Amino acid sequence: MSPEASAKGTVPFGEYRTWYRVTGELGAGRPAVVAVHGGPGSTHDYLLPLARLAEDGWPVVHYDQLGNGGSTHLPGKGAEFWTVELFEQELANLVQRLGIADDYVLFGQSWGGPLCARHAMAGPPGLRGLVVANAPASYPLWLQEMARLRAELPPDVQEALLRHEAAGTYDSEEYLAAMRVFYDRHVCRLTPWPRDFLSSFMEIYNDPTVYYAMNGPNEFHVIGSLKDWSITGELHRIRTPTLLISGRHDEATPTVVQPYHDEIPGARWEIFEESSHLPHLEEPERFFAVLTDFLKGL
């Protein structure tokens, strides 16, 4: 179990609110680790196990990105409102409001990875380290790999996916069952799915505004505003010590992660052999050993 939060609340972000929770004591020695969740449009829940770092002196900040969880929901906002820049501004605002801008580490998982990479490109002086976990740097490359992984699914599953995608019937039972086959291979290989992951999964579907606008109906059918977005060619600007994490069975395949390794000077890459998209849940002991080793070396 992750330790109890020492503080919870919201900070103002323009006319909206960003929900956060802190485990451990900010400013007590070691830099704060800010956990930046995926989606876009997921919640912090599935990253709660990271709170364990507080036991070793790294305070951990979780937050829900705008539009989901405990932060302001804006179901009336159209796709043009939900931009990468909006979430970059929200992250920078949170770091400032919590008073940790002079000493922090970013842990970005899935969509949170390129979001944190964008933040790091500006060279913030207080950013001590960057962890990019299970993340794309290019959505066109991600889509290319999704097509390859889909082609390895059983033929009847592929047929069901294509038929419902053509009809736009994403909420049909048959489509959801076919989708689950992909998720069980490439997103979370644990049975049953852990409660924290299930919580985030349900939160997306409770309010899919952001996820549908930027991503699409699921992980492998990206038809939202991110489908052409890429930060390859910009990653060389990152000068922060960087750890890359991915799973052997990850939807973020080695091809997807490779640009980070190629372009970020000195980036270290750890592949988890028994994991897909969530090594912190699928191989927790090795995950925490790798992460704490990186944090101690900063």
Side-chain angles (χ1 to χ4, degrees):
M1 277 307 283
S2 51
E4 283 303 300
S6 55
K8 291 182 185 179
T10 63
V11 296
F13 172 50
E15 56 192 289
Y16 313 118
R17 310 289 302 183
T18 300
W19 179 94
Y20 72 90
R21 63 167 262 166
V22 176
T23 310
E25 192 183 341
L26 297 178
R30 287 178 155 167
V33 177
V34 182
V36 183
H37 67 68
S42 184
T43 59
H44 77 283
D45 302 80
Y46 77 101
L47 293 178
L48 274 175
L50 291 177
R52 188 171 132 183
L53 294 170
E55 294 168 6
D56 294 317
W58 287 282
V60 180
V61 176
H62 286 88
Y63 77 105
D64 287 334
Q65 292 162 30
L66 192 66
N68 288 86
S71 295
T72 307
H73 286 238
L74 297 158
K77 294 287 187 187
E80 68 290 338
F81 176 81
W82 303 105
T83 63
V84 174
E85 291 70 29
L86 175 75
F87 291 105
E88 283 183 61
Q89 289 160 11
E90 183 185 33
L91 174 56
N93 178 72
L94 179 75
V95 166
Q96 288 290 345
R97 296 272 183 181
L98 293 180
I100 57 174
D102 59 349
D103 197 25
Y104 66 108
V105 172
L106 289 181
F107 179 97
Q109 201 278 336
S110 199
W111 138 259
L115 179 58
C116 289
R118 286 276 301 191
H119 181 94
M121 283 175 199
L127 181 62
R128 304 283 172 240
L130 172 66
V131 184
V132 175
N134 323 96
S138 158
Y139 278 86
L141 199 55
W142 173 272
L143 283 167
Q144 183 186 306
E145 286 295 280
M146 289 303 113
R148 185 177 67 76
L149 295 177
R150 281 178 63 144
E152 295 170 0
L153 295 172
D156 60 320
V157 173
Q158 292 185 52
E159 187 276 326
L161 291 172
L162 289 169
R163 180 159 37 83
H164 288 288
E165 284 161 8
T169 46
Y170 303 121
D171 51 2
S172 82
E173 286 298 321
E174 189 185 26
Y175 187 73
L176 294 173
M179 195 172 101
R180 181 69 192 247
V181 176
F182 181 95
Y183 277 58
D184 285 343
R185 286 188 181 195
H186 300 298
V187 180
C188 185
R189 292 166 69 83
L190 298 174
T191 309
W193 281 357
R195 193 183 66 184
D196 290 336
F197 174 54
L198 212 48
S199 297
S200 283
F201 194 78
M202 297 314 295
E203 286 274 5
I204 290 178
Y205 289 96
N206 286 342
D207 186 348
T209 307
V210 183
Y211 192 72
Y212 282 7
M214 295 182 75
N215 190 83
N218 57 46
E219 295 295 284
F220 52 83
H221 190 51
V222 180
I223 53 176
S225 60
L226 286 177
K227 69 181 187 296
D228 302 316
W229 188 69
S230 173
I231 53 171
T232 56
E234 299 178 76
L235 292 165
H236 64 274
R237 292 162 48 196
I238 296 173
R239 289 290 178 263
T240 308
T242 301
L243 171 65
L244 308 173
I245 287 172
S246 64
R248 180 60 68 193
H249 309 280
D250 205 331
E251 58 180 358
T253 64
T255 301
V256 165
V257 179
Q258 193 70 45
Y260 290 105
H261 193 247
D262 290 346
E263 294 182 42
I264 300 175
R268 167 185 165 191
W269 187 0
E270 295 281 347
I271 296 178
F272 289 74
E273 295 297 333
E274 304 303 320
S275 294
S276 55
H277 199 50
L278 304 166
H280 69 284
L281 299 176
E282 295 166 293
E283 290 180 74
E285 293 316 311
R286 176 158 179 246
F287 171 84
F288 279 101
V290 166
L291 183 55
T292 51
D293 179 63
F294 172 72
L295 292 171
K296 283 175 180 170
L298 294 176

